[in-house]
Amino acid sequence: MKSCVTLVIFCAIIGVNYCIDIPNPFSKKNKTETKPTSTSTGSASTTPGTIQQIKDCFEDYTELGCFSNIAPWHSLLRPFPLPMSPKDIDVKIYLYTSKLPDKRYTVQLWKDISIEGSDFDPQRPYTAFITHGFSSNGNVSWVTDLKDAYLKHRDANVFIVDWGKGASVWNYLQVAANTRVVGAELKRFGKYLVDNWQLDPVHIHFMGHSLGAHISAYAAKGIPGVGQLTAFDPAQPGFEGSPADVRLTKNDATFVDVIHTNIRPVIPLLGFGLIFPAGHVDYYMNGGALQPGCVAPPLHEVNLTSIADLGKISVDVISKWVACSHGKSYLYYTEALLNDYCTFWGRSTGYFGTAVDVATFGKLGLTLEKFDKCTLDKCSPIGLESEEYPARGAFSVSTSPDSPYCQNDPRITKQMKELRQQKSQQQANGETKTNSKGTLGTLKDILKSPF
């Protein structure tokens, strides 16, 4: 009921039409499948006045399955074409390890998967995957920086997923469609590690930015028991309000944490990040809409009336318009891993606070945050320790305009760690009782103790 109130408040402000996911007209009108004329583009010619359901099964890549344009993959609010062929998308996966953090190993994906001769060790505590978004590739600096920061703190295998060719074609709609193939390839590789190398899925940590967050979700959905999925400002156009099968949800892994930095509606404000919470913890950075030091897209140059209009704008231009706020998500997370002297603490906003944050694009939420106290059941840190704290829900986080972005009082970190240690000790002594929502009943006094 509370989530419904949140949706109603938001829809009332930005317009109900944006919030309605219109059913796919193709889903019941025609049961006939026809082969597209070109598997490289996923396009097909249709007879005027008829509606066709199209399925593409790529030769030599049958293990990935077939891809169709029926619901939920296609709708009026998700006017995506079929994905390009795996050959044209050309996914590559590179391995780095704690033992060899600067030595790249290229995984063989086709026709048979092989990591022979690599330093991969399924017994390492963590196996992480980093996936970039649209108009990007696996060689960009933030991917390398995140990989290095991760290996600094964890004994891990880190795979970088590079789908640069499929991420940089002409328009966003085609790039977004290509995520289905990349997700299928990543799922295939992950299952190979589980089935052939006895990798325990609980040790898997997917990380992805923008469309890469949804790619991570597609892979995680196909590998039961994945431990963690971290999403950096998951892409909004074509995903917000869509069924769970086609987007990131908190059911995709045991723990899902999401960093929101660009929640402005794509129509008409050209925001590109998911607006509503999608994880166990969702951090709305500086309100989540527009990050300090960034400027809003030049709306006078943008004429968007529907998501379909994104097909008329090149991904390079869109990236230029939204990159600053959209990309701050992974910069904040990387700094959280690198900065040993400051922690990004998020304060819980609750259902009403989340509605206010979304409806005002974070402006009122930032004001309310300054009057809230940090307690164990209200605060959550960004980074590798997030799951270890009991607070769940949506959180508001403030940062500085420039790096170093972290601005929280280190005394909070010290006291929060002490409270967490007390909680762990009481759990070890059998003094705690956890309810279905994860709240620790016998630690009420500790959890409610503000500072």
Side-chain angles (χ1 to χ4, degrees), residues 150-222:
Y150 198 91
L151 290 175
K152 173 186 175 183
H153 288 278
R154 285 182 165 177
D155 179 14
N157 311 290
V158 176
F159 292 98
I160 292 176
V161 183
D162 185 347
W163 60 293
K165 288 186 178 180
S168 302
V169 294
W170 167 248
N171 69 69
Y172 172 84
L173 302 182
Q174 182 63 68
V175 173
N178 291 344
T179 61
R180 299 170 64 184
V181 166
V182 185
E185 292 226 37
L186 185 53
K187 178 181 73 173
R188 173 178 177 260
F189 179 61
K191 293 182 70 173
Y192 165 82
L193 296 179
V194 171
D195 295 340
N196 294 275
W197 288 77
Q198 288 71 57
L199 173 65
D200 189 339
V202 75
H203 296 158
I204 295 177
H205 183 185
F206 286 111
M207 294 177 280
H209 172 238
S210 189
L211 290 175
H214 297 296
I215 289 171
S216 300
Y218 295 160
K221 290 177 196 296

Side-chain angles (χ1 to χ4, degrees), residues 68-386:
S68 69
N69 74 334
I70 61 175
W73 300 102
H74 187 97
S75 72
L76 294 183
L77 291 183
R78 192 182 160 87
F80 296 169
L82 287 173
M84 294 162 50
S85 75
K87 181 178 181 180
D88 291 332
I89 295 173
D90 193 25
V91 174
K92 298 183 185 302
I93 297 180
Y94 308 116
L95 170 65
Y96 298 86
T97 68
S98 302
K99 183 179 178 181
L100 300 172
D102 299 315
K103 185 175 181 180
R104 170 186 286 188
Y105 174 90
T106 302
V107 175
Q108 176 183 306
L109 291 176
W110 296 99
K111 289 186 176 182
D112 297 318
I113 299 175
S114 175
I115 54 173
E116 295 299 331
S118 74
D119 187 46
F120 175 77
D121 183 355
Q123 299 305 312
R124 287 193 171 100
Y126 300 94
T127 293
F129 296 83
I130 303 173
T131 307
H132 62 83
F134 70 92
S135 189
S136 188
N137 61 72
N139 296 310
V140 293
S141 60
W142 77 262
V143 171
T144 300
D145 292 343
L146 178 56
K147 177 263 296 181
D148 291 341
Y150 198 91
L151 290 175
K152 173 186 175 183
H153 288 278
R154 285 182 165 177
D155 179 14
N157 311 290
V158 176
F159 292 98
I160 292 176
V161 183
D162 185 347
W163 60 293
K165 288 186 178 180
S168 302
V169 294
W170 167 248
N171 69 69
Y172 172 84
L173 302 182
Q174 182 63 68
V175 173
N178 291 344
T179 61
R180 299 170 64 184
V181 166
V182 185
E185 292 226 37
L186 185 53
K187 178 181 73 173
R188 173 178 177 260
F189 179 61
K191 293 182 70 173
Y192 165 82
L193 296 179
V194 171
D195 295 340
N196 294 275
W197 288 77
Q198 288 71 57
L199 173 65
D200 189 339
V202 75
H203 296 158
I204 295 177
H205 183 185
F206 286 111
M207 294 177 280
H209 172 238
S210 189
L211 290 175
H214 297 296
I215 289 171
S216 300
Y218 295 160
K221 290 177 196 296
I223 306 174
V226 166
Q228 184 172 358
L229 196 164
T230 300
F232 310 125
D233 211 33
Q236 175 193 152
F239 297 90
E240 188 83 64
S242 294
D245 288 348
V246 305
R247 63 174 175 86
L248 171 78
T249 77
K250 68 179 182 180
N251 296 320
D252 297 331
T254 302
F255 181 71
V256 177
D257 51 330
V258 186
I259 298 179
H260 300 267
T261 55
N262 194 207
I263 68 170
R264 294 153 59 94
V266 65
I267 308 297
L269 301 180
L270 202 65
F272 251 70
L274 278 184
I275 297 173
F276 286 100
H280 295 94
V281 295
D282 288 75
Y283 302 100
Y284 288 83
M285 311 300 295
N286 302 297
L290 187 66
Q291 298 308 301
C294 299
V295 298
L299 297 182
H300 63 282
E301 299 179 17
V302 183
N303 184 25
L304 295 181
T305 59
S306 70
I307 292 178
D309 289 337
L310 292 176
K312 305 172 185 177
I313 308 171
S314 75
V315 291
D316 291 338
V317 171
I318 292 176
S319 179
K320 180 180 178 181
W321 285 341
V322 306
C324 187
S325 288
H326 199 40
K328 282 289 182 72
S329 53
Y330 50 70
L331 295 181
Y332 294 146
Y333 191 84
T334 301
E335 183 177 304
L337 270 57
L338 290 174
N339 195 332
D340 296 326
Y341 306 100
C342 189
T343 301
F344 292 85
W345 285 103
R347 288 172 168 79
S348 176
T349 58
Y351 284 103
F352 178 76
T354 302
V356 171
D357 240 0
V358 169
T360 64
F361 306 131
K363 294 181 180 179
L364 187 55
L366 283 176
T367 302
L368 295 175
E369 176 194 342
K370 300 181 185 300
F371 298 97
D372 199 11
K373 297 294 184 180
C374 198
T375 62
L376 197 59
D377 65 337
K378 288 186 177 180
C379 296
S380 177
I382 291 177
L384 301 180
E385 295 185 333
S386 179

Side-chain angles (χ1 to χ4, degrees), residues 24-76:
N24 176 16
F26 297 148
S27 60
K28 295 182 179 180
K29 291 186 178 181
N30 195 320
K31 297 298 183 181
T32 303
E33 293 177 345
T34 61
K35 184 74 173 178
T37 57
S38 172
T39 59
S40 63
T41 63
S43 62
S45 59
T46 60
T47 304
T50 65
I51 296 176
Q52 291 181 308
Q53 289 186 352
I54 307 169
K55 176 183 285 187
D56 211 342
C57 306
F58 298 105
E59 188 177 355
D60 297 329
Y61 299 92
T62 56
E63 291 180 49
L64 300 182
C66 299
F67 304 87
S68 69
N69 74 334
I70 61 175
W73 300 102
H74 187 97
S75 72
L76 294 183

